Each structure stands twice: as C-alpha cells, then as structure tokens.
Amino acid sequence: MTTLASPRATGAARPRTALRFAGLAAGNFMITLDATVLNVALPDLRADLHAPAAALPWAVDAYTVVLAGLMLASGSIADRWGPRRVYQVALAGFAVFSLACALAPNVGTLIAGRALLGVPAAGLVPASMALLAALCPTPDERSRKVGVLVAISGLGIAAGPVVGGALVAVGGWRTVFLLNLPIALLALVASRGLDARAGTPRPLDRLGLLLSVIGLVALTFGLIEAGTGGWLRPLPLAALLVAVAAVAVFPAAQRRAAAPVLPSALLALKRVRVDLVAAVSAQLIYYGLLFALAQWMITTRGDSAAEAGLAFLPMTVPVAFVPLLTGRLVVRFGAHRMMCAGLTLDLLGGLLLVVGGSSSWTILAVQLLVGAGSPMVIPAFIADMSAAVPLELAATGQGALNAARQTGTALGVAVFGTLATLPAHGCVLAVAAALTLAVVAPLARNRRRARPS
C-alpha cells in the first residue's frame, strides 16, 4: 500500500529542499568567483607584497592547476567516503586556506596558499553534483536545477572582477579572500540536511589516484605555460611529456586495480564518452575565444582593460541566464538536442569570425553566438552525465566530467594563445564545433525521450 504525502508535509519539505540547494549553489558560486576575483586585485597585491611581475600569473593559475589536477581523484574519493562528508570537509578547508591566503606575508606564500585552495575546490564540485542527484531524484527536476546551478556558477565568473574591484577599493587585496569565509559558513550550515548516505566501500586505488593527479596537473600546467609563454620552452615541454607518460601508464594501472579510480563501467557508457567530448570542446571554444579576444582588444585594437571588460559583456552576461533556459529546454527536447543547438551557434560564430573581418559588429555578433552557444551546451552535458551514471558512481562521473572541462579550458588558452589572427581563431573554433557536432548528433537523432504512460 502506498502512502501519499499530505499537502502540508509536501509544503514543509519545499523550504528544506530550497535551503539545501542553496548550500550547493553557494559552494559552486564561491569556486567560480575565486577563479576570477583575484585578477583585478593583482596591481594592489604586487605593490603591497613587492612581488615580481613574473610571479603574478601564478598567483591566479596555481588555483586552476591544482583544481583541474584533483578533479578525477576527488570524485572517486567522494563516492568512497560519501559526498556530504567530502563536501562539508571541503567547505571548511576552503575557509581555512582562504584565511591563509589573506594573511600571506609574501607572494611565494600566497601562491602556495592558492594552490592549497584548489584542493578543497576540487572536492566541492563532484560532491555537490552527486548531492544534487540525490536531492532531485527525477531527471526533469534535476535538469532544471542543473541549469540554475550552472547559471549561479556563471554569475560567479561574471561577478568576480566587479566584486574584486569593489573589495580592493574598500579594504585592499586581502579582503578578496576574506569574502570566502562567510560564504563557506553559510554553505556549511545550509548543507547539513543534505543526503548523508555512506560511501561505497571499496579499496583505494592509490596508483590510479597518483597517476591521475600527476597527469592532470602536468597537462594543465604545461598547457597554461605553453599558451602564455610559448610552446618550445623546456618547462612546458617537460610538463607535457610527464602528462603523456602518466596517461600512457594509466590504462594498464586501471586494469590491475581492484577498484579503479575511473571504472571501466563508466567509460563503457556511450553517453558518458559523448559528454566528456562535449565538455572539452565547449570549454575550449568559450574560454579560448575569451582569451583570444581579450588579447586582440588590448594589443591590436588598443582598448584599455576597463574598455575590454565592458566590451566582453555580450559574451559574459549570457552565462548568467542562458543555463536557466537550457535546463528547462533539456526537459522538453533532451540533452543531446540542446548540445547540438549550442554547438551549431558556436559553429556559426567561428564561421563568421573567419569571413567577417574585425569590425565591431562582427565581434559583437560572434560574442552573442558563442556567448549563447557554449553556455547552452554546458548544463546539457552536466544533466546528461547525472542521468547516465549510477548514483553510486555519481561523484566519480562528475569528477571525470569536470576534469574534462578544466582540461578544455587550459587547452583553449594554449591553442588560441598561439594564433595570430582572428580568422585563424575562427577556423579552430568552427572545426572544434563541427567535430563535436559529429559526435553528439547521432545520439540526438536516435534518442527518444520517454513519455509518461
């Protein structure tokens, strides 16, 4: 006999669900805010710490390198020890390391603190998506919430420079890190009622974890170094060789592991493989173009940093609202059709950049197309990954997905950073979108959404 919940009980549950979702949203907002909030604080930081110019990029990028390198490992750990435990420990760690960054006496200590800050950040992302899967058990509700979550994360990216500038004006660069303390505390309180299921007991794949961390850290570091300083220098070449070696050994280590960090059952799912390809491509296109246009606006067109920031609004503002619409459209049309729609916009943007020249109207149109395209793809593959993966592997799946996203971002900066002209950027953008469309389109054609009986 099935007992139906009373309207009063259902109504009482809604505020609790909203509060728990707010705990997940706050953690994701904090992670993306920290990726961009420090950029505008660098001049004040340099003056206060007497830092050399060469050290400033790593005050920003140390966070990104560690975050990317630990994504796969943190997803596996969250599935093993339970996503709520990992999420809450990561929130506490984020607050502690943020305070350490705020108190840093010199730039070396700050860079080390930023690297350490990437450790809990890597734990927050896959654990939060696993908790969302438990909080929203139906695929349609989950798709809508993923759209909201991605929009809030996008708002963190867009708000970072604005919030950072205001905080520096009020209290200097150290306040940028102190802001994380109340956000982490609020997220910690709100997340107390989230799914507390125990993790799946299994042996720890130490070799697989070590290889995944070494490979992803070396790959991200090498790509960032190559994209910003040139491909033929010894440091990025050595890092990329280490990454290739780790990736080459990784499959053999996984075959021998009793409980591999990247289970073969996960990669055996075609939807998972397609989502990983879409993740790399969408991030490469969006963040690669963002980096390329920034360099072109400042060095070729002669814009100031403030003018370039305003000129980017057509590309950055849609990140805060397009995912909200996408989450609802995924429910109606399916995730793969929405990926195809977004990739088609990216493809049109690339083709326009190839043939349209460098007029202000062309740049505006390209920004609008890609600014709507990739933010349409991202929540679609996150929602599809969440639906395709069994709940006991939810964090591992999201860890692999976010490792792919971070790799795509670093690859975008590295590839687009070596191209000299806007048509060359457009050509790479169009080819990446077209190849990914070829991978996603068969699933969009063949997959039928289940209809209520």
Coordinates of all heavy atoms in Angstrom, one line a residue, residues 407-453:
T407 N 40.4 20.7 -18.4 CA 41.4 20.4 -19.5 C 41.0 21.2 -20.7 O 41.9 21.8 -21.4 CB 41.4 18.9 -19.8 OG1 41.8 18.2 -18.7 CG2 42.4 18.6 -20.9
G408 N 39.7 21.3 -21.1 CA 39.3 22.1 -22.2 C 39.6 23.5 -22.1 O 40.0 24.2 -23.0
T409 N 39.4 24.1 -20.8 CA 39.7 25.5 -20.6 C 41.2 25.8 -20.8 O 41.6 26.7 -21.5 CB 39.3 25.9 -19.2 OG1 37.9 25.7 -19.0 CG2 39.7 27.3 -18.9
A410 N 42.1 24.9 -20.2 CA 43.5 25.1 -20.4 C 44.0 24.9 -21.8 O 44.8 25.7 -22.3 CB 44.3 24.1 -19.5
L411 N 43.4 23.9 -22.5 CA 43.7 23.7 -23.9 C 43.3 24.9 -24.8 O 44.0 25.3 -25.7 CB 43.0 22.4 -24.4 CG 43.4 21.9 -25.8 CD1 44.9 21.6 -25.8 CD2 42.6 20.6 -26.1
G412 N 42.1 25.5 -24.5 CA 41.6 26.6 -25.2 C 42.6 27.8 -25.1 O 42.9 28.4 -26.1
V413 N 43.1 28.1 -23.9 CA 44.0 29.2 -23.7 C 45.3 28.9 -24.4 O 45.9 29.8 -25.1 CB 44.3 29.4 -22.2 CG1 45.4 30.4 -22.0 CG2 43.0 29.9 -21.5
A414 N 45.8 27.6 -24.4 CA 47.1 27.2 -25.0 C 47.0 27.3 -26.5 O 47.8 27.9 -27.2 CB 47.4 25.8 -24.6
V415 N 45.9 26.8 -27.1 CA 45.7 26.8 -28.6 C 45.5 28.2 -29.1 O 46.2 28.6 -30.0 CB 44.6 25.8 -29.0 CG1 44.3 25.9 -30.5 CG2 45.0 24.4 -28.7
F416 N 44.5 28.9 -28.6 CA 44.1 30.2 -29.1 C 45.2 31.2 -28.8 O 45.4 32.2 -29.5 CB 42.8 30.7 -28.5 CG 41.6 30.0 -29.1 CD1 41.3 28.7 -28.9 CD2 40.8 30.8 -29.9 CE1 40.1 28.2 -29.4 CE2 39.7 30.2 -30.5 CZ 39.3 28.9 -30.3
G417 N 46.0 31.0 -27.7 CA 47.1 31.9 -27.4 C 48.2 31.9 -28.4 O 49.1 32.8 -28.5
T418 N 48.3 30.8 -29.3 CA 49.4 30.7 -30.3 C 49.0 31.2 -31.6 O 49.8 31.2 -32.5 CB 49.9 29.3 -30.4 OG1 48.8 28.5 -30.8 CG2 50.4 28.7 -29.1
L419 N 47.7 31.6 -31.8 CA 47.2 32.0 -33.1 C 47.3 33.5 -33.2 O 47.0 34.2 -32.3 CB 45.8 31.5 -33.3 CG 45.5 30.0 -33.2 CD1 44.0 29.7 -33.2 CD2 46.3 29.3 -34.3
A420 N 47.6 34.0 -34.4 CA 48.0 35.4 -34.6 C 46.8 36.2 -35.1 O 46.8 37.4 -34.9 CB 49.1 35.6 -35.6
T421 N 45.8 35.6 -35.8 CA 44.8 36.4 -36.5 C 43.4 35.9 -36.0 O 43.2 34.8 -35.7 CB 44.9 36.3 -38.0 OG1 44.6 35.0 -38.4 CG2 46.3 36.7 -38.5
L422 N 42.4 36.8 -36.2 CA 41.0 36.5 -35.8 C 40.5 35.4 -36.8 O 39.8 34.5 -36.3 CB 40.1 37.7 -35.9 CG 40.3 38.7 -34.8 CD1 39.4 39.9 -34.9 CD2 40.1 38.1 -33.4
P423 N 40.7 35.4 -38.1 CA 40.3 34.3 -38.9 C 40.8 32.9 -38.5 O 40.1 31.9 -38.6 CB 40.8 34.7 -40.3 CG 40.8 36.2 -40.3 CD 41.3 36.5 -38.9
A424 N 42.1 32.9 -38.0 CA 42.7 31.6 -37.5 C 41.9 31.2 -36.3 O 41.6 30.0 -36.1 CB 44.1 31.8 -37.2
H425 N 41.6 32.1 -35.4 CA 40.8 31.7 -34.2 C 39.4 31.2 -34.6 O 39.0 30.2 -34.1 CB 40.6 33.0 -33.3 CG 41.8 33.5 -32.7 ND1 42.1 34.8 -32.7 CD2 42.8 32.9 -32.1 CE1 43.3 35.0 -32.1 NE2 43.7 33.8 -31.7
G426 N 38.8 31.8 -35.6 CA 37.5 31.4 -36.1 C 37.6 30.0 -36.7 O 36.7 29.2 -36.5
C427 N 38.7 29.7 -37.4 CA 38.8 28.4 -38.1 C 38.9 27.3 -37.0 O 38.2 26.3 -37.1 CB 40.1 28.4 -39.0 SG 40.3 26.9 -39.9
V428 N 39.7 27.5 -36.0 CA 39.8 26.5 -34.9 C 38.5 26.3 -34.2 O 38.1 25.2 -33.9 CB 40.9 26.9 -33.9 CG1 40.9 26.0 -32.7 CG2 42.3 26.9 -34.6
L429 N 37.8 27.4 -33.9 CA 36.5 27.4 -33.3 C 35.5 26.6 -34.1 O 34.8 25.7 -33.6 CB 36.1 28.8 -33.1 CG 34.9 29.1 -32.1 CD1 35.0 30.6 -31.7 CD2 33.6 28.7 -32.6
A430 N 35.5 26.9 -35.4 CA 34.5 26.2 -36.3 C 34.8 24.7 -36.4 O 33.9 23.9 -36.3 CB 34.5 26.8 -37.6
V431 N 36.1 24.3 -36.5 CA 36.5 22.9 -36.6 C 36.1 22.2 -35.3 O 35.6 21.1 -35.4 CB 38.0 22.8 -37.0 CG1 38.4 21.4 -36.8 CG2 38.2 23.3 -38.4
A432 N 36.4 22.8 -34.2 CA 36.1 22.1 -32.9 C 34.6 21.9 -32.8 O 34.2 20.8 -32.4 CB 36.6 23.0 -31.7
A433 N 33.8 22.9 -33.1 CA 32.4 22.8 -33.0 C 31.8 21.7 -34.0 O 31.0 20.9 -33.6 CB 31.7 24.1 -33.3
A434 N 32.3 21.7 -35.2 CA 31.9 20.8 -36.2 C 32.2 19.3 -35.8 O 31.3 18.4 -36.0 CB 32.5 21.1 -37.6
L435 N 33.4 19.1 -35.4 CA 33.8 17.7 -35.0 C 33.0 17.2 -33.8 O 32.6 16.1 -33.7 CB 35.3 17.7 -34.6 CG 36.3 17.9 -35.8 CD1 37.7 17.9 -35.2 CD2 36.1 16.7 -36.8
T436 N 32.7 18.1 -32.8 CA 31.9 17.7 -31.7 C 30.4 17.5 -32.1 O 29.8 16.6 -31.6 CB 32.0 18.8 -30.6 OG1 33.3 19.2 -30.4 CG2 31.4 18.3 -29.3
L437 N 29.9 18.3 -33.0 CA 28.6 18.0 -33.5 C 28.5 16.6 -34.1 O 27.5 15.9 -34.0 CB 28.2 19.1 -34.6 CG 27.5 20.3 -34.1 CD1 27.4 21.3 -35.2 CD2 26.1 19.9 -33.6
A438 N 29.5 16.2 -34.9 CA 29.5 14.9 -35.5 C 29.5 13.8 -34.4 O 28.9 12.7 -34.7 CB 30.8 14.7 -36.3
V439 N 30.0 14.0 -33.2 CA 30.0 13.0 -32.2 C 28.6 13.0 -31.5 O 28.1 12.0 -31.1 CB 31.1 13.3 -31.1 CG1 31.0 12.4 -29.9 CG2 32.5 13.2 -31.8
V440 N 28.0 14.2 -31.2 CA 26.8 14.3 -30.5 C 25.6 14.0 -31.3 O 24.6 13.5 -30.8 CB 26.7 15.8 -29.8 CG1 25.4 15.9 -29.1 CG2 27.9 16.0 -28.9
A441 N 25.6 14.4 -32.6 CA 24.3 14.4 -33.4 C 23.7 13.0 -33.5 O 22.5 12.9 -33.4 CB 24.6 14.9 -34.8
P442 N 24.5 11.9 -33.6 CA 23.8 10.6 -33.6 C 23.0 10.3 -32.4 O 21.9 9.7 -32.6 CB 25.0 9.6 -33.7 CG 26.1 10.4 -34.4 CD 25.9 11.8 -33.9
L443 N 23.4 10.7 -31.2 CA 22.6 10.5 -30.0 C 21.4 11.3 -30.1 O 20.3 10.9 -29.6 CB 23.4 10.7 -28.8 CG 24.4 9.6 -28.4 CD1 25.1 10.0 -27.1 CD2 23.8 8.3 -28.3
A444 N 21.5 12.6 -30.6 CA 20.3 13.5 -30.7 C 19.3 12.9 -31.6 O 18.1 13.1 -31.4 CB 20.8 14.9 -31.1
R445 N 19.7 12.2 -32.7 CA 18.8 11.7 -33.6 C 18.1 10.4 -33.1 O 16.9 10.1 -33.3 CB 19.5 11.4 -34.9 CG 19.8 12.6 -35.8 CD 20.2 12.2 -37.2 NE 21.3 11.3 -37.2 CZ 22.6 11.7 -37.4 NH1 22.8 12.9 -37.5 NH2 23.5 10.8 -37.4
N446 N 18.9 9.5 -32.5 CA 18.5 8.2 -32.1 C 17.7 8.2 -30.8 O 16.9 7.3 -30.6 CB 19.7 7.2 -32.0 CG 20.3 7.1 -33.4 OD1 19.7 7.3 -34.4 ND2 21.6 6.7 -33.3
R447 N 18.0 9.1 -29.9 CA 17.5 9.0 -28.5 C 16.0 9.6 -28.5 O 15.8 10.6 -29.0 CB 18.3 9.8 -27.6 CG 18.0 9.6 -26.1 CD 19.1 10.1 -25.2 NE 18.7 10.2 -23.9 CZ 18.6 9.1 -23.1 NH1 18.9 7.9 -23.6 NH2 18.2 9.2 -21.8
R448 N 15.1 8.8 -27.9 CA 13.8 9.3 -27.8 C 13.5 9.5 -26.3 O 13.8 8.7 -25.5 CB 12.8 8.2 -28.3 CG 12.9 7.9 -29.8 CD 12.4 9.0 -30.6 NE 12.5 8.7 -32.0 CZ 13.5 9.1 -32.8 NH1 14.5 9.7 -32.3 NH2 13.4 8.7 -34.1
R449 N 12.9 10.6 -26.1 CA 12.5 10.9 -24.7 C 11.4 10.0 -24.2 O 10.4 9.8 -25.0 CB 12.1 12.4 -24.5 CG 13.2 13.4 -24.6 CD 12.8 14.8 -24.2 NE 12.4 14.9 -22.8 CZ 11.2 15.1 -22.4 NH1 10.2 15.2 -23.3 NH2 10.9 15.2 -21.1
A450 N 11.5 9.5 -23.0 CA 10.4 8.6 -22.5 C 9.2 9.5 -22.3 O 9.2 10.6 -21.7 CB 10.8 8.0 -21.2
R451 N 8.0 9.0 -22.7 CA 6.8 9.7 -22.5 C 6.0 9.1 -21.3 O 6.0 7.9 -21.1 CB 5.9 9.7 -23.7 CG 6.5 10.3 -25.0 CD 5.6 10.2 -26.2 NE 6.2 10.8 -27.3 CZ 6.2 12.1 -27.6 NH1 5.6 13.0 -26.8 NH2 6.8 12.6 -28.7
P452 N 5.3 9.9 -20.5 CA 4.5 9.4 -19.4 C 3.5 8.4 -19.9 O 2.8 8.7 -20.9 CB 3.9 10.6 -18.7 CG 4.7 11.8 -19.2 CD 5.2 11.4 -20.6
S453 N 3.4 7.3 -19.2 CA 2.3 6.3 -19.6 C 1.0 6.7 -19.0 O 0.9 7.4 -18.1 CB 2.7 4.9 -19.2 OG 2.9 4.9 -17.8

